[in-house]
């Protein structure tokens, strides 16, 4: 299928949307509490230092993070993988963390993929079920969405858009999707142990707190494509957006990542992870 000319013309405006910069910052107390629940860490044990046997996959939305998490579980054994859509800083206080890994994506393709996810059936139904009066309506055309976010960014958009633990609506679809996601997030690779029991009251922080289902208070009730990759690798809370990203912090923390792959070089990235972990190639 030939590309939409209008969508192609919109691409140059995306350069400022997704800088491939990296970083970490301190995590919030409540988010840390929930992430520890999903890693099965006993915070009461102080007799000896815990074994560093866990790897955190910083799953940046729409950057092949789900496929990456599933593929690398076997590669990293006997280490345990936990993959969540949170900030890089999410597991900073985890005493069993060996390191963090992530997969990045070419910025313009990344933004287009975000929009396509926003238009997918289940996300579309979830947005309609939770949309409040006066909220932005997602444009039907990609280029209009890009232009709208460009205006929002120029107006200095920032703030904390973390959702409530309470349901945003009385629509059964919202409850059904929440329950379905909680059941999935209680299993590997989102949690270390099978059947981890998660609570609705922890919804704002579950699976890192930055999935597509958490964007109910963001304009258009879906991803904010303003530097999403660098934002997730520098934030304290995934739905708290600063007016500017601390670039010095990003650069300072790039070396803290245990491994970085690229979606456009997926197979090569998997091979490199093999080598990084075991000094062998598949």
């Amino acid at each position: 299928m030939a590309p939409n000319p209008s969508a192609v013309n919109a691409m140059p405006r995306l350069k400022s949307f997704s800088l491939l910069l990296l970083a970490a910052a301190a995590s919030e107390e409540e988010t840390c509490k929930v992430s520890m629940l999903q890693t099965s860490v006993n915070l009461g044990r102080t007799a000896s230092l815990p074994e560093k046997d866990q790897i955190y996959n910083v799953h940046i939305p729409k950057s092949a993070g789900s496929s990456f998490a599933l593929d690398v579980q076997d590669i990293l054994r006997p280490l345990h993988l936990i993959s969540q859509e949170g900030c890089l800083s999410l597991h900073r206080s985890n005493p069993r963390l060996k390191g963090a890994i992530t997969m990045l994506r070419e910025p313009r393709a990344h933004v287009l993929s975000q929009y396509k996810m926003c238009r997918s059936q289940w996300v579309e139904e979830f947005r309609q079920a939770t949309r409040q009066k006066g909220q932005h309506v997602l444009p039907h055309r990609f280029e209009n969405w890009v232009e709208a976010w460009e205006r929002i960014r120029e107006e200095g958009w920032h703030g904390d858009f973390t959702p409530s633990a309470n349901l945003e609506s009385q629509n059964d679809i919202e409850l059904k999707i929440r329950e379905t996601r909680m059941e999935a997030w209680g299993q590997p690779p989102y949690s270390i142990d099978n059947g981890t029991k998660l609570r609705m009251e922890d919804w704002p922080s579950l699976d890192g707190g930055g999935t597509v289902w958490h964007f109910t208070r963001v304009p258009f009730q879906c991803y904010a494509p303003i530097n999403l990759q660098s934002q997730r690798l520098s934030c304290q809370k995934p739905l708290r957006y600063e007016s500017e990203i601390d670039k010095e912090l990003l650069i300072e923390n790039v070396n803290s990542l245990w491994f970085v792959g690229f979606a456009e070089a997926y197979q090569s990235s998997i091979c490199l992870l093999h080598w990084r972990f075991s000094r062998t190639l598949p």
Side-chain angles (χ1 to χ4, degrees):
M1 177 182 295
N4 184 317
S6 298
V8 172
N9 291 335
M11 288 300 186
R13 293 194 292 272
L14 303 177
K15 283 187 176 180
S16 63
F17 278 32
S18 299
L19 299 175
L20 294 179
L21 301 171
L22 310 173
S27 55
E28 300 285 356
E29 182 177 352
E30 284 302 304
T31 302
C32 178
K33 178 190 72 174
V34 176
S35 70
M36 291 302 183
L37 168 67
Q38 291 190 253
T39 56
S40 302
V41 172
N42 184 348
L43 296 179
R45 272 195 287 175
T46 56
S48 61
L49 292 175
E51 180 183 1
K52 292 186 179 297
D53 62 351
Q54 296 179 4
I55 295 289
Y56 169 38
N57 176 38
V58 187
H59 177 184
I60 299 172
K62 310 313 299 173
S63 62
S66 294
S67 298
F68 184 56
L70 294 173
D71 286 340
V72 304
Q73 288 182 98
D74 290 337
I75 298 173
L76 295 175
R77 285 192 174 94
L79 299 180
H80 302 287
L81 178 74
I82 180 165
S83 179
Q84 296 175 337
E85 296 185 45
C87 300
L88 173 60
S89 61
L90 178 63
H91 290 274
R92 186 177 183 181
S93 300
N94 182 351
R96 289 172 60 178
L97 187 68
K98 182 178 180 67
I101 63 178
T102 196
M103 184 71 73
L104 300 178
R105 187 171 184 178
E106 192 278 323
R108 289 180 290 184
H110 188 221
V111 172
L112 179 59
S113 183
Q114 291 171 57
Y115 179 77
K116 288 181 177 180
M117 181 65 175
C118 295
R119 301 297 312 184
S120 63
Q121 179 182 349
W122 278 107
V123 177
E124 185 90 16
E125 292 187 13
F126 186 76
R127 286 191 300 100
Q128 292 180 6
T130 58
R131 192 167 76 87
Q132 304 298 312
K133 185 177 180 179
Q135 282 187 310
H136 296 76
V137 177
L138 184 71
H140 288 286
R141 297 174 65 87
F142 170 66
E143 57 269 30
N144 296 143
W145 182 67
V146 171
E147 291 167 352
W149 268 111
E150 188 172 29
R151 289 192 296 270
I152 292 171
R153 180 182 63 84
E154 290 174 349
E155 292 168 359
W157 180 78
H158 66 282
D160 190 341
F161 301 90
T162 302
S164 170
N166 299 323
L167 293 173
E168 302 280 354
S169 71
Q170 301 298 317
N171 196 305
D172 291 341
I173 291 177
E174 181 185 7
L175 179 60
K176 178 181 178 181
I177 289 178
R178 280 200 184 197
E179 291 175 341
T180 300
R181 294 317 307 158
M182 287 174 61
E183 182 178 356
W185 294 337
Q187 309 296 327
Y190 314 105
S191 297
I192 293 293
D193 295 329
N194 287 304
T196 301
K197 299 299 182 183
L198 304 179
R199 303 175 303 175
M200 186 70 75
E201 63 193 77
D202 292 321
W203 175 260
S205 299
L206 293 182
D207 197 41
T211 74
V212 70
W213 315 108
H214 288 95
F215 279 80
T216 51
R217 297 184 176 182
V218 171
F220 309 113
Q221 299 170 273
C222 204
Y223 298 126
I226 302 176
N227 296 321
L228 179 57
Q229 295 181 94
S230 52
Q231 188 267 343
R232 285 299 171 90
L233 293 166
S234 64
C235 59
Q236 297 181 29
K237 295 173 65 178
L239 270 295
R240 185 163 71 198
Y241 289 82
E242 308 296 341
S243 55
E244 294 288 342
I245 289 175
D246 187 338
K247 297 179 179 63
E248 290 186 6
L249 179 63
L250 289 168
I251 295 171
E252 177 186 345
N253 284 280
V254 63
N255 291 324
S256 71
L257 287 164
W258 196 73
F259 177 82
V260 178
F262 292 91
E264 288 75 21
Y266 190 86
Q267 293 301 327
S268 297
S269 297
I270 293 295
C271 288
L272 284 173
L273 182 61
H274 263 284
W275 180 259
R276 173 76 172 86
F277 180 65
S278 64
R279 290 297 187 267
T280 63
L281 292 175

